[in-house]
Amino acid sequence: MLLSIKNLSKHFQVSQGAFQGSRKIVRAVDELSLDIEKGDSLSLVGESGSGKTTLARMIMRLLEPTSGEIIFNGEDVTRLKQNKLDHYRRNIQMVFQDPYSSLDPRFTIRRSIKEGMTLAVGKYASEQAKEIRAQEMINAVRLEQNMMLRFPHEFSGGERQRIAIARSLALNPKMLVLDEAVSSLDVIIQQDILELLKELQQQFELTYLFISHNLRVVKQISNKIAVMYKGRIIELAETQELIDNPLHPYTKELLQAALDYKSSGRAGDFELSPRAGLVEKNKGHFVIHD
């Protein structure tokens, strides 16, 4: 198992009113467990506010969990001190939704890609080695070499996302976390990026955690889908199995909205029980139930 998340939670305290002085707990991620095998392309889907990005930020150790464990390649990374995180982050990289804000506008593309290599201490000992690797990454995402001299504002959204992907691959990571990585792009460019991601997965033997609210998109990229609702995984199955045979009313609601799936239930028809458990059903298909 490449990544194993065990009973992971993130709770935030928020004020209930300017003059009340009372605070309530928001359970953004609530005792979530999830396993991702090497070579998987697992998509995490759910509506805005379901906790997807909070989970991604905890996996990257950009947010500290309230409780639980994140095991990567056999090591509990929730216990790593700050000075030990560089090695972990070489092996798991993140591609964000907005490629323009994730690229420094003051840096050329060449410098942006090389900047990420500073985490690989000793691997790229010379500027020539970094230059060769940067050129390889630009070629891998199907951009021209002369583009490396330009700045982010000179590129389209799709090109900027290719650059962000190239930068994330420079350290030869084992896994990419892609947080709404194509949602800001038009449909044709989305398709191009998804095709590119599938090719790169084969070429670099990558594992993907693809976070999205769009089931039309994840159907094309993932071999498994996990459905997230109110901070928890409520259903997990292979992609086609989940689309053909959704078991949870909320999953049916998502499919009805995204794929014109005909469902008799509505998302508002159910509540999660605090005792809900993960139960195996139908050839590895998991669903939360009371």
Side-chain angles (χ1 to χ4, degrees), residues 48-150:
S48 297
S50 60
K52 305 186 301 298
T53 294
T54 300
L55 175 61
R57 290 175 66 82
M58 283 194 288
I59 291 171
M60 296 303 301
R61 283 293 307 271
L62 299 174
L63 271 179
E64 292 299 315
T66 302
S67 61
E69 297 178 335
I70 302 168
I71 312 295
F72 185 82
N73 217 19
E75 182 177 26
D76 185 357
V77 300
T78 54
R79 300 181 184 275
L80 292 180
K81 301 299 182 184
Q82 196 65 34
N83 60 353
K84 299 287 188 181
L85 284 175
D86 284 356
H87 178 73
Y88 171 58
R89 287 175 177 154
R90 283 165 52 183
N91 285 305
I92 182 167
Q93 290 281 297
M94 191 165 182
V95 179
F96 296 90
Q97 176 179 358
D98 182 1
Y100 189 72
S101 63
S102 67
L103 296 170
D104 193 318
R106 302 167 299 173
F107 290 180
T108 63
I109 302 314
R110 171 183 278 119
R111 185 176 174 185
S112 286
I113 295 174
K114 287 183 178 180
E115 193 77 9
M117 299 182 202
T118 56
L119 290 175
V121 179
K123 185 172 183 179
Y124 303 107
S126 67
E127 283 301 313
Q128 183 180 11
K130 290 181 180 179
E131 178 67 21
I132 291 171
R133 183 62 175 173
Q135 291 175 2
E136 289 173 347
M137 294 303 95
I138 283 294
N139 288 338
V141 298
R142 303 184 205 150
L143 293 177
E144 300 295 330
Q145 292 290 325
N146 59 13
M147 292 181 172
M148 293 174 67
L149 299 173
R150 293 158 59 186

Side-chain angles (χ1 to χ4, degrees), residues 8 11 31 87 167 209 224 245 253 259 288:
L8 195 68
H11 301 164
E31 295 188 1
H87 178 73
R167 184 182 60 180
L209 174 59
K224 295 177 184 176
N245 184 33
E253 180 71 11
L259 302 170
I288 290 285

Side-chain angles (χ1 to χ4, degrees), residues 93-104 108-109 112-114 116 137-138 141 143 152 155-171 173 176-179 181-182 184-185 193 196-197 200:
Q93 290 281 297
M94 191 165 182
V95 179
F96 296 90
Q97 176 179 358
D98 182 1
Y100 189 72
S101 63
S102 67
L103 296 170
D104 193 318
T108 63
I109 302 314
S112 286
I113 295 174
K114 287 183 178 180
M137 294 303 95
I138 283 294
V141 298
L143 293 177
F155 294 93
S156 68
E159 288 170 334
R160 287 197 293 264
Q161 198 61 290
R162 288 172 186 268
I163 293 162
I165 293 167
R167 184 182 60 180
S168 72
L169 294 177
L171 293 172
L176 291 187
V177 177
L178 301 119
D179 187 10
V182 299
S184 64
L185 307 175
I193 297 296
L196 174 65
L197 287 170
L200 293 173

Side-chain angles (χ1 to χ4, degrees), residues 210-264:
F210 192 92
I211 296 170
S212 179
H213 63 278
N214 189 335
L215 275 163
R216 288 184 184 275
V217 168
V218 303
K219 183 183 179 183
Q220 300 177 59
I221 191 70
S222 56
N223 66 302
K224 295 177 184 176
I225 297 176
V227 182
M228 194 167 179
Y229 177 75
K230 290 187 177 180
R232 305 183 69 189
I233 301 296
I234 59 168
E235 190 161 1
L236 170 64
E238 292 187 4
T239 299
Q240 201 58 50
E241 168 67 16
L242 185 135
I243 290 170
D244 290 344
N245 184 33
L247 301 179
H248 198 285
Y250 178 69
T251 307
K252 294 176 182 179
E253 180 71 11
L254 289 179
L255 285 163
Q256 184 179 37
L259 302 170
D260 296 324
Y261 183 88
K262 302 304 180 185
S263 166
S264 60

Side-chain angles (χ1 to χ4, degrees), residues 40-53:
D40 268 352
S41 180
L42 186 144
S43 288
L44 184 66
V45 302
E47 63 193 353
S48 297
S50 60
K52 305 186 301 298
T53 294

